[in-house]
Amino acid sequence: MATVLDDINAGVWEDMEARKRLVSLADLKDLAAAAAPARDAWSALGGTAVQRDQLKVIAEIKRRSPSKGDLASIVDPAALAEQYADGGAAVISVLTEQRRFNGSLADLDAVRARVDVPLLRKDFTLDEYQIWEARAHGADLILLIVASLSDSQLREFSALSRELGMNVLVETHTEEEIERAVAAEARIIGVNVRNLKTLDVDRSVFASLAGLIPAEALVIAESGVRGVDDVTHYAANGANAILVGEALVSDATPRDRIAEFTAAGAAAIAARA
């Protein structure tokens, strides 16, 4: 029986094929070559040891989700990104998937033109075309979801991303997926507490899996952030960064919320030292 993730991926394939008819891979490669060099998301997220006493925030521009439906209209994604940057977001995530999240590459373009922090192109990467597409539109970081890809794809897509100067966030949800991410030499590993096959959220998943990730890698807690208590929980259990969407797009003062989350995370990291 098809899972929610299977259905999302099927739609992503269809939409990508439509874009391929408009912009060839060769044209994308030319656009990527002409783009400004990718920014260093690894360092922005605390890649060096001296930076790991702070919890970094990946702030997400997210209009809707399959689990919650409409979250926010976000007429001006660039203005929201500016608030995120002003609040201290280390990376800004821009959802570009159309059908389930109401995102677009136009959102990525608008945000890239407004802010200078590293950008994550948040989508369901299934083909090298999307990686070239991400770089052509100014992304500095892409998402690879282990549950959607083979081991060879994880390695090949990671290698291509590095060749283009981008970092890779490799998303996991199970112990076996972490093993596969580590085998693929992932340096930035996310633990999504939402099961993309069912959309169920279990925040305890993070604490049970984060310790399996090598110390040299960056650990990203994904999903499930409702407020400071969740931020503290993730930071106390090994997160170097959190990826937050719904709690920010539904907040009237996202700039203040990012600062609040950053402070709470730093306190939790200090307490575990």
Side-chain angles (χ1 to χ4, degrees), residues 3-21:
T3 66
V4 174
L5 182 59
D6 291 332
D7 290 342
I8 292 173
N9 286 342
V12 167
W13 270 113
E14 287 184 22
D15 293 339
M16 178 176 57
E17 291 300 325
R19 294 197 303 278
K20 284 182 178 180
R21 291 192 287 272

Side-chain angles (χ1 to χ4, degrees), residues 11-256:
V12 167
W13 270 113
E14 287 184 22
D15 293 339
M16 178 176 57
E17 291 300 325
R19 294 197 303 278
K20 284 182 178 180
R21 291 192 287 272
L22 297 174
V23 182
S24 70
L25 179 59
D27 287 342
L28 269 186
K29 290 182 177 181
D30 289 341
L31 290 169
R39 291 154 179 80
D40 185 0
W42 168 259
S43 294
L45 289 170
T48 59
V50 294
Q51 295 174 306
R52 297 199 182 189
D53 60 346
Q54 298 293 320
L55 183 78
K56 306 297 184 179
V57 175
I58 304 174
E60 190 154 86
I61 293 172
K62 181 178 184 178
R63 291 191 178 89
R64 72 185 320 272
S65 75
S67 60
K68 296 288 185 69
D70 292 335
L71 302 173
S73 58
I74 313 181
V75 176
D76 189 347
L80 179 57
E82 196 165 39
Q83 291 189 63
Y84 286 170
D86 288 346
V91 168
I92 294 174
S93 170
V94 184
L95 269 155
T96 58
E97 196 280 332
Q98 302 168 232
R99 300 189 183 202
R100 302 295 188 101
F101 295 89
N102 197 22
S104 69
L105 287 164
D107 288 344
L108 185 60
D109 291 337
V111 172
R112 177 76 291 159
R114 182 72 65 89
V115 301
D116 197 41
V117 301
L119 299 185
L120 165 65
R121 191 239 175 131
K122 184 85 175 295
D123 212 316
F124 298 78
T125 306
L126 303 171
D127 187 86
E128 70 165 312
Y129 182 90
Q130 294 164 285
I131 300 172
W132 287 99
E133 197 173 47
R135 186 78 280 273
H137 287 268
D140 311 293
L141 180 66
I142 67 160
L143 178 73
L144 297 181
I145 300 173
V146 173
S148 292
L149 303 170
S150 68
D151 291 341
S152 61
Q153 285 175 316
L154 281 173
R155 290 191 297 270
E156 290 164 11
F157 291 173
S158 295
L160 174 58
S161 300
R162 289 193 296 269
E163 288 173 18
L164 296 178
M166 294 187 292
N167 288 118
V168 179
L169 169 55
V170 178
E171 180 176 301
T172 66
H173 181 71
T174 67
E175 182 174 347
E176 184 263 342
E177 289 175 5
I178 288 178
E179 291 173 357
R180 292 179 58 205
V182 172
E185 301 181 343
R187 299 172 72 213
I188 307 174
I189 299 178
V191 175
N192 194 345
V193 304
R194 185 185 304 280
N195 183 340
L196 292 179
K197 296 179 180 179
T198 64
L199 301 184
D200 294 334
V201 172
D202 180 358
R203 290 168 185 81
S204 68
V205 165
F206 183 80
S208 67
L209 296 179
L212 304 176
I213 297 173
E216 61 270 20
L218 286 170
V219 182
I220 316 298
E222 301 180 45
S223 300
V225 175
R226 298 161 296 188
V228 166
D229 288 348
D230 294 318
V231 174
T232 299
H233 169 73
Y234 290 146
N237 284 283
N240 301 114
I242 54 172
L243 192 154
V244 191
E246 182 183 344
L248 295 178
V249 300
S250 61
D251 195 295
T253 56
R255 180 192 293 107
D256 297 340

